[in-house]
Amino acid sequence: MSLSRTFLDVRPLRTSPVFRRLLFGRTVSTLGSFMTMVTVMYQVWDMTHSTVWSGAVGVAQAVPMVAVSLFAGSWVDRADRRRVYLTGTVGSAVCSLLLAVQGFAGHAPVAVVLLLVAVQTSFAALGAPAAGVFVPRLLPKEQVAAGLALQQVTGQAMMLVGPAVAGVVLGWWGIGVCYLLDTLSFTMSFYGAYGLPALPPEGEKSRPGVHGVLDGLRFLTGHRVVRGALLTDLAATVLSMPASMFPLVNDERFGGDPRTLGLFLSALAVGGVAATVFSGPVTRLARPGPVMLCASATWGASLAVFGLATSAWAGLALLALAGAADALAVLSRTTIVQTRTPDALLGRVTAAETMVGQAGPHLGNLRGGLVAGWSSGATALITGGLLCVAAVGYVGATTPELRARPTTPDPVDPIDEGSLEGS
């Protein structure tokens, strides 16, 4: 294999100017979004010095994401996806501008800040299902995985850079400037999407309201490959998400050194970026199902062994391996969803995938914290990792279609096939 084929597959950048412009705009906007995330947390804590209000930031982000996503997905499957995405982008930009205004003015109640965060998250939940259809519509099928990998690696890079940039801007110019820079970043996202062609659904449009949502859920429960992909993701996140246990494990094993604690999360991110950079062979393999199963099992096994580690360097190496496995699992899951879902249902399925991606880690951190409180951080990591491996193995064993090369029409469970045809 040539060295060039080992690295990230950049064919989508060469062959599609529209995708290239879209990726650039979304990358800049993602940088601004991470800056705003840090700024909101800083501002709320500075205003209240209350862990309750700080926790409320997560509630203001999670509740609208769940409440809006499925109905947004149903709307996306009835409308021009480009127009819906632009609407979400403009709405998010307006919210950032209002956050900047209150940041410059000062003395805004904390409830106002949280309300603006909730409204902005609602617009983001509207735009996410629309954005989910762009890659499979803009790129040939054999380049979809490569396009998703490019989106993933730029997003991970901004996750590393954004908080650091926010810290510098907050220190030099304050919260108003940080919010204003996020507002300006949305202009690049708007520019990237404005040049897209009209993207109406291909096939039968979604039914309005609850009926359209239920049609999407019936597809999810009936399509064995897509269902298996989402179940595998839930197994990995709900059963073995480690972040909530890091402070306790750091105290138990590494003397509570804050520098070690900070490196735990960095190791996950570095592993993820490295795996995506060298994802060329994976995306060209066109076997996302087996890759996802193997990567998810590796994630769980790495975290279980991390629970036994007594050396900080060995622990960081295991976390980097876990981060790399997680990045490949997420890339493969997204590839499965976007290549196996009919275009007419893609908005709703992408919305459900977003909800799984948001809810799974939160539930996993809650599970880990509870188990660690009853036992120890090491016990929570080991049991969670082993349960993850077992659950992923069960999904793989009971879903042979997930292990096979996608050469035949995707299966739908007989019990659901009739309901799909009658909807």
Side-chain angles (χ1 to χ4, degrees), residues 242-258:
S244 63
M245 293 169 280
F246 282 166
L248 180 58
V249 171
N250 190 44
D251 283 339
E252 291 174 347
R253 295 288 179 86
F254 307 114
D257 189 335

Side-chain angles (χ1 to χ4, degrees), residues 30-32 34-35 38 154-168:
T30 301
L31 172 64
F34 278 112
M35 291 175 62
V38 172
T154 54
Q156 289 169 331
M158 294 306 101
M159 181 172 64
L160 290 173
V161 173
V165 174
V168 172

Side-chain angles (χ1 to χ4, degrees), residues 351-378:
E353 182 193 16
T354 301
M355 290 174 60
V356 167
Q358 293 282 331
H362 289 305
L363 292 173
N365 282 322
L366 176 61
R367 182 214 65 85
L370 291 174
V371 175
W374 293 332
S375 53
S376 67

Side-chain angles (χ1 to χ4, degrees), residues 246 250 257-270 312-313 315-317 319-320:
F246 282 166
N250 190 44
D257 189 335
R259 292 172 296 180
T260 308
L261 179 61
L263 288 174
F264 285 168
L265 288 172
S266 296
L268 286 172
V270 168
W313 288 111
L316 292 173
L319 288 176

Side-chain angles (χ1 to χ4, degrees), residues 88-185:
T89 299
V90 171
S92 296
V94 170
C95 291
S96 282
L97 181 60
L98 293 175
L99 283 168
V101 170
Q102 65 82 30
F104 285 121
H107 310 297
V110 66
V112 171
V113 177
L114 294 181
L115 177 62
L116 289 172
V117 169
V119 175
Q120 186 174 54
T121 302
S122 299
F123 280 111
L126 175 65
V133 309
F134 291 161
V135 173
R137 290 286 291 270
L138 296 176
L139 299 175
K141 190 170 184 178
E142 67 273 11
Q143 293 185 23
V144 168
L148 295 173
L150 287 165
Q151 286 190 347
Q152 183 168 305
V153 75
T154 54
Q156 289 169 331
M158 294 306 101
M159 181 172 64
L160 290 173
V161 173
V165 174
V168 172
V169 174
L170 285 169
W172 282 91
W173 297 289
I175 59 175
V177 172
C178 225
Y179 288 133
L180 185 59
L181 289 176
D182 184 30
T183 305
L184 296 175
S185 77

Side-chain angles (χ1 to χ4, degrees), residues 193-261:
Y194 190 76
L196 292 173
L199 296 171
E202 293 179 343
E204 185 178 351
K205 292 184 178 181
S206 168
R207 296 193 292 175
V210 176
H211 295 294
V213 173
L214 293 177
D215 291 341
L217 293 176
R218 275 194 289 269
F219 172 83
L220 281 176
T221 57
H223 193 290
R224 291 171 59 81
V225 177
V226 175
R227 182 181 66 199
L230 296 185
L231 286 175
T232 301
D233 186 71
L234 284 173
T237 54
V238 173
L239 296 177
S240 59
M241 199 67 191
S244 63
M245 293 169 280
F246 282 166
L248 180 58
V249 171
N250 190 44
D251 283 339
E252 291 174 347
R253 295 288 179 86
F254 307 114
D257 189 335
R259 292 172 296 180
T260 308
L261 179 61

Side-chain angles (χ1 to χ4, degrees), residues 378-398:
T379 300
L381 282 166
I382 295 167
T383 57
L386 294 177
L387 284 172
C388 169
V389 173
V392 171
Y394 176 78
V395 173
T398 57

